[in-house]
Amino acid sequence: KYLVDPDVSFRQEDDGGILYNAETDSLEVLNPVAVAIWSFLAAPRTQTEVVDHLCAVCEGAVRGQVEKDTADFLEDLLKKGFIGVVEEPA
């Protein structure tokens, strides 16, 4: 499951938000949909849970496109150290 890195700073903006990782000195500008994903990852979530959430809150979203875009976005945030993967106990 994916989870935000608690050491990453988030600042809400009018048209999205900004992530800053002081450890890697990385900055990421988020659009409103990306902010929705970031906020949803405050608790551990699977990629499928993220996709389900976006399809529920984004009117007219095409599931296939949401799945692809979400996979790409999560992989990008993971590579840049903004989120991590956590294993939940069985």
Side-chain angles (χ1 to χ4, degrees), residues 20-80:
Y20 178 67
N21 186 336
E23 199 172 289
T24 60
D25 197 33
S26 300
L27 187 73
E28 186 80 14
V29 177
L30 304 180
N31 65 28
V33 175
V35 169
I37 294 171
W38 176 261
S39 300
F40 193 62
L41 293 177
R45 312 284 185 176
T46 65
Q47 183 172 318
T48 301
E49 289 171 328
V50 174
V51 170
D52 290 345
H53 174 69
L54 290 177
C55 288
V57 300
C58 298
E59 190 174 319
V62 177
R63 186 170 185 90
Q65 188 64 50
V66 172
E67 288 171 345
K68 181 193 179 312
D69 293 347
T70 299
D72 293 346
F73 181 66
L74 292 175
E75 183 62 33
D76 189 49
L77 286 185
L78 193 59
K79 275 194 263 181
K80 293 179 179 176

Side-chain angles (χ1 to χ4, degrees), residues 10-19 28-32 35:
F10 170 72
R11 186 174 81 200
Q12 182 76 45
E13 297 287 322
D14 290 339
D15 57 350
I18 298 173
L19 298 177
E28 186 80 14
V29 177
L30 304 180
N31 65 28
V35 169

